[in-house]
């Protein structure tokens, strides 16, 4: 059942792209969301294949030895009533409390 639903979705994507391309030549759409959806679907369509895996992938024997998790840049902000928001400044990386930063100054994660 899922394979048929995926095939129908792939056809719907193709139909939307074709119809949008044709009708956008005739009408000036007021809603930019429709154009954004068409652009997104144009990039998504080549990734949607009708290829079905022959054999299921068995992950029962896979054992994870290590999972790496790296902190990305963070920033903290407060909203105050009546104050106009300002653009965010570049976030600075701060090591967790009690730890020193292993990277030299000016390094953005090496």
């Amino acid at each position: 059942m899922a394979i048929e639903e995926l095939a129908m979705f792939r056809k719907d994507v193709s139909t939307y792209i074709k119809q949008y391309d044709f009708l956008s030549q005739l009408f000036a759409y007021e809603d930019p969301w429709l154009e954004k959806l068409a652009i997104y679907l144009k990039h998504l369509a080549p990734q949607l294949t009708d290829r079905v895996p022959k054999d299921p992938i068995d992950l029962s024997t896979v054992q994870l030895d290590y999972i790496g998790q790296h902190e990305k840049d963070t920033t903290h902000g407060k909203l105050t009533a009546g104050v106009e928001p300002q653009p965010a400044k570049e976030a600075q990386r701060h090591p967790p409390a009690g730890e020193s930063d292993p990277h030299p100054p000016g390094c953005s994660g090496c």
Side-chain angles (χ1 to χ4, degrees):
M1 183 67 174
I3 300 297
E4 291 86 19
E5 290 176 4
L6 291 174
M8 180 61 76
F9 178 72
R10 186 172 40 265
K11 290 176 185 175
D12 290 345
V13 166
S14 176
T15 301
Y16 181 86
I17 292 169
K18 290 174 187 174
Q19 288 180 348
Y20 180 84
D21 284 345
F22 176 74
L23 293 174
S24 65
Q25 295 174 19
L26 303 174
F27 304 105
Y29 289 112
E30 299 293 324
D31 189 359
W33 185 84
L34 296 172
E35 183 176 2
K36 289 179 183 180
L37 178 60
I39 292 169
Y40 173 76
L41 292 177
K42 282 181 186 178
H43 291 292
L44 178 65
Q47 305 303 318
L48 302 174
T49 63
D50 56 355
R51 182 175 48 111
V52 177
K54 295 179 182 177
D55 298 320
I57 299 172
D58 180 22
L59 298 176
S60 63
T61 59
V62 173
Q63 181 179 3
L64 294 177
D65 294 332
Y66 175 78
I67 296 177
Q69 182 176 356
H70 303 281
E71 181 180 345
K72 298 290 180 182
D73 292 341
T74 58
T75 185
H76 303 284
K78 293 182 181 181
L79 295 177
T80 307
V83 175
E84 190 71 26
Q86 299 297 318
K89 296 179 182 173
E90 186 177 319
Q92 295 179 350
R93 186 183 180 291
H94 298 285
E99 291 185 21
S100 63
D101 192 351
H103 301 286
C107 172
S108 61
C110 299

